[in-house]
Amino acid sequence: MAKQKVYAVRRGRTPGIYSSWTDVQEQTTGFRGAEFKSFPSKVAAQEWLEDGQSPPGERPNGGIAVLGFSDGTPGPMRYGAVDVATGLHLFSEGPFDGGTTNLAEFLALADAIRLVADGDHEGPIWTTNEIAMIWVAKCLANSTVDPRKVDPELRLRVTKAENWLASHAKNGGDLSIRKWDFREWGEIPHDGILKD
């Protein structure tokens, strides 16, 4: 019999430890900057809760930094990610016609979460885009762009990302994302990932 997972909500309506995914969704869905994660034990969940983030003013030295850009709304769109510690490019995608910066960041976050889920990176995942964070928490890109004006490949990527995020979250997967404080830490690392 599979062992019951334990969930920790570090940033949400009521931070704490929860035993059901439904309770976690109630605390985090629609909450800006929500942070939550699943654990095999209550002890591990408590340690993560107490670990917190880097102290205020201290720039993070690890994780995945994502960035998305659109030249117009809608317009040609690109997105990618770098390893914060090393500056290495983890992925870079696009351009795709008919996109927005929010869609680009949403897809970058989904790809970064998949990297962590597949064991290819430890995270955490950093972004400056609060709208994309909300879309990821809801597993739905709530874009107002006319679908007829969007590159078919982009539409397909968004649909696949939404489906994967919903499935991952339903199975207790971590959708934890952290807000990059550009006022304190400067620009999010990007090292030219969105340039041709």
Side-chain angles (χ1 to χ4, degrees), residues 148-163:
R148 295 170 295 180
K149 296 181 180 178
V150 176
D151 180 331
E153 172 65 18
L154 176 56
R155 280 199 315 262
L156 182 61
R157 283 175 182 252
V158 170
T159 300
K160 284 183 175 180
E162 290 171 338
N163 292 339

Side-chain angles (χ1 to χ4, degrees), residues 4-80:
Q4 178 70 35
K5 285 186 179 181
V6 176
Y7 304 90
V9 175
R10 184 150 54 194
R11 293 191 64 203
R13 291 178 184 86
T14 307
I17 296 175
Y18 295 88
S19 59
S20 81
W21 176 244
T22 303
D23 291 340
V24 172
Q25 287 181 308
E26 289 175 7
Q27 301 307 318
T28 59
T29 300
F31 186 91
R32 284 187 178 192
E35 280 187 64
F36 49 96
K37 192 171 182 176
S38 65
F39 295 90
S41 72
K42 190 172 182 177
V43 171
Q46 188 63 43
E47 286 175 0
W48 182 77
L49 276 178
E50 292 170 2
D51 177 43
Q53 295 186 16
S54 300
E58 185 177 318
R59 188 177 190 270
N61 58 9
I64 301 172
V66 303
L67 193 63
F69 173 80
S70 173
D71 187 15
T73 305
M77 180 201 94
R78 300 176 78 87
Y79 65 91

